[in-house]
Amino acid sequence: MFERGYRQRLEADLVKWVAEGVISGDAAHSIRKARFGEEATSRLPAIFAMLGALMLAASVSAFVAANWQEIPRLVRLVGILSLIAACFPIALLLGRRAIPWGADAAVTFATLSFGAGVALVGQMYHLPGDWPAGAMLVAIGALIAAALTGKSGPLVIAFAAMTAWSFGRFDDAQWHEIHWPFFLLFVPAFALALGRENRLVAHAAALALGVWLATLTWAPADRLIHGGIAFSVAYIAIGLLALDRDWPAEFRALLPWGGWAFGVFLCFEIELVLEKSVRSAHAIDAHLGLAYVAAALALAALAVLARHRDNGRLVIIAACAIGLTIPLMLVGGPAIPSRVLIPIAVLVSAVALIAGGLLVGLRTFVVVGYAVFGVSILILLWRTVGTLLDQSLFFLAAGVVLLGLALGAHKLASWSRRANEQSSGSAA
């Protein structure tokens, strides 16, 4: 997503520079080639090959689920193993013939067939129905396949399987336990993913880590919302830092997930405070403390290590800081002020996201900010803040403040434009 946006901006700049005579057409072509490299004319072969591998794996899974009694157990097991073994020579052959998408599809099919084989063994020998353990075995097999072949498809399967393993390990009464063994698989998978610049792998890694972090604050709902805000702030900060310092795609992928999660949890904060007439008993605890430490360290790293200290990033950091203060408003004291302060904080954070996204040039924050602002208004209209007169005054004050901000931003833009013109004139 960010690569596409950067490509569009760079292409527009190159066209403008060539038209103004700043650079030649050959120089522009060299810049395009150096920055983006040679691309295939179409991604359709890779997409269709991967979909075909998924369909074939689905057929194998259906075969396993059929549990044909007519076929001996050993024959079924040997058939699955032979199918897996045959995929790797095919992948090697396709790789030597410069068909990487075909080789990736073959290895992905072998990995999915291995998962079906795990299910087949459990079905044939009536092993206990411990599906998280089966997911762990699939993740281990996918990691081995990814390490041996260097393909991306098995890595995506590994991240999905280890997420299922971690998420399904306990029943509802055991969600308070932290599943540290998750990192025994996640760390080597993440190490294998680094440097691939494969967006699907990068987003799979970000999502897997996000689901594990969600389990830390899974219950009750208010703790999940507060912890989600803190972890999403950490995602945003690390993603911005990765974008600033050109870190691998696995770190940059944290930014969109963090931005959208931050917006969703902000909206839930308004609904939560308007739903309850008393303060939340789970505003701060040990797990939330861990989330806040992660958010604080990530923001500090962004502030210290970022090479470009522009105003847009500062505005986004301010939006994140405002979101982090919301759970603190729920600690002690009467509940009525929080029913006004939290909606104000959410709206201010949404406006800051829009402003920061526009200044930095990241459309994700602009869209998230507008979405949060619109959904928040709908929630506030649906659930009255105090009396109807109080609600009317609330929207009146918010509207006046926003119009004032618009006027101030217009004047600031005019001053900046005049300053740039004067500096250009003096330089000439």
Side-chain angles (χ1 to χ4, degrees):
M1 178 175 59
F2 299 114
E3 187 71 15
R4 183 171 61 251
Y6 173 71
R7 175 192 292 274
Q8 292 172 351
R9 292 194 300 273
L10 179 59
E11 184 64 31
D13 288 337
L14 290 176
V15 172
K16 179 181 177 182
W17 294 337
V18 171
E20 294 177 351
V22 178
I23 61 175
S24 64
D26 293 337
H29 177 71
S30 299
I31 292 174
R32 293 187 185 98
K33 185 176 180 180
R35 182 61 186 89
F36 299 113
E38 297 294 335
E39 288 187 330
T41 57
S42 175
R43 295 180 179 178
L44 288 179
I47 295 174
F48 289 152
M50 195 59 64
L51 292 176
L54 291 176
M55 292 298 101
L56 291 176
S59 70
V60 174
S61 299
F63 170 78
V64 172
N67 193 19
W68 288 352
Q69 300 299 326
E70 295 82 0
I71 303 177
R73 293 178 178 178
L74 184 60
V75 173
R76 279 183 282 172
L77 184 59
V78 171
I80 293 291
L81 294 177
S82 301
L83 189 63
I84 295 172
C87 290
F88 290 98
I90 294 175
L92 181 62
L93 178 63
L94 292 174
R96 289 178 176 176
R97 294 190 177 184
I99 310 178
W101 50 266
D104 204 343
V107 177
T108 301
F109 173 67
T111 306
L112 292 172
S113 298
F114 172 75
V118 171
L120 177 63
V121 172
Q123 178 194 85
M124 289 190 308
Y125 297 100
H126 306 289
L127 299 180
D130 187 4
W131 66 266
M136 179 193 67
L137 293 177
V138 173
I140 293 173
L143 274 179
I144 294 174
L148 292 177
T149 63
K151 301 303 178 183
S152 299
L155 266 184
V156 176
I157 298 173
F159 282 121
M162 70 180 68
T163 302
W165 168 49
S166 183
F167 192 80
R169 70 197 185 282
F170 295 135
D171 56 24
D172 293 338
Q174 295 173 305
W175 278 111
H176 63 280
E177 299 184 23
I178 299 178
H179 188 231
W180 295 114
F182 168 81
F183 286 99
L184 295 177
L185 296 181
F186 180 81
V187 171
F190 192 82
L192 288 173
L194 287 177
R196 291 176 182 262
E197 293 300 319
N198 185 299
R199 285 182 291 180
L200 181 58
V201 172
H203 287 289
L207 185 58
L209 180 60
V211 172
W212 181 83
L213 292 173
T215 61
L216 299 183
T217 58
W218 184 255
D222 48 5
R223 190 174 69 173
L224 173 63
I225 295 171
H226 302 331
I229 283 186
F231 284 129
S232 61
V233 166
Y235 263 44
I236 291 172
I238 296 174
L240 284 173
L241 185 59
L243 201 62
D244 176 81
R245 303 189 69 88
D246 198 23
W247 286 354
E250 285 70 29
F251 293 100
R252 300 196 303 270
L254 298 176
L255 188 54
W257 286 103
W260 282 107
F262 184 68
V264 170
F265 287 122
L266 282 180
C267 296
F268 275 115
E269 287 286 7
I270 293 184
E271 180 66 23
L272 179 67
V273 74
L274 295 181
E275 178 71 22
K276 293 190 175 184
S277 58
V278 296
R279 300 289 180 140
S280 172
H282 301 277
I284 299 294
D285 62 10
H287 288 188
L288 284 181
L290 177 63
Y292 267 72
V293 168
L297 291 176
L299 288 176
L302 175 62
V304 173
L305 300 178
R307 294 177 295 188
H308 302 92
R309 305 180 186 278
D310 52 84
N311 294 331
R313 284 178 173 80
L314 294 178
V315 174
I316 294 175
I317 290 174
C320 294
I322 293 170
L324 289 175
T325 62
I326 291 178
L328 302 179
M329 300 178 188
L330 298 172
V331 180
I336 296 302
S338 65
R339 293 169 63 86
V340 177
L341 292 177
I342 288 180
I344 292 175
V346 171
L347 292 175
V348 172
S349 182
V351 173
L353 285 176
I354 296 172
L358 290 173
L359 291 173
V360 176
L362 294 177
R363 189 178 303 175
T364 298
F365 289 111
V366 178
V367 175
V368 170
Y370 276 119
V372 172
F373 196 89
V375 173
S376 300
I377 293 298
L378 291 177
I379 294 175
L380 292 172
L381 286 174
W382 181 256
R383 295 184 179 275
T384 304
V385 180
T387 65
L388 287 175
L389 180 59
D390 294 335
Q391 190 177 37
S392 175
L393 293 175
F394 176 84
F395 285 121
L396 175 63
V400 171
V401 170
L402 287 174
L403 291 176
L405 289 174
L407 181 61
H410 175 71
K411 288 186 176 296
L412 181 61
S414 300
W415 293 338
S416 300
R417 187 160 51 253
R418 285 198 296 268
N420 291 333
E421 292 174 354
Q422 290 175 0
S423 61
S424 299
S426 61

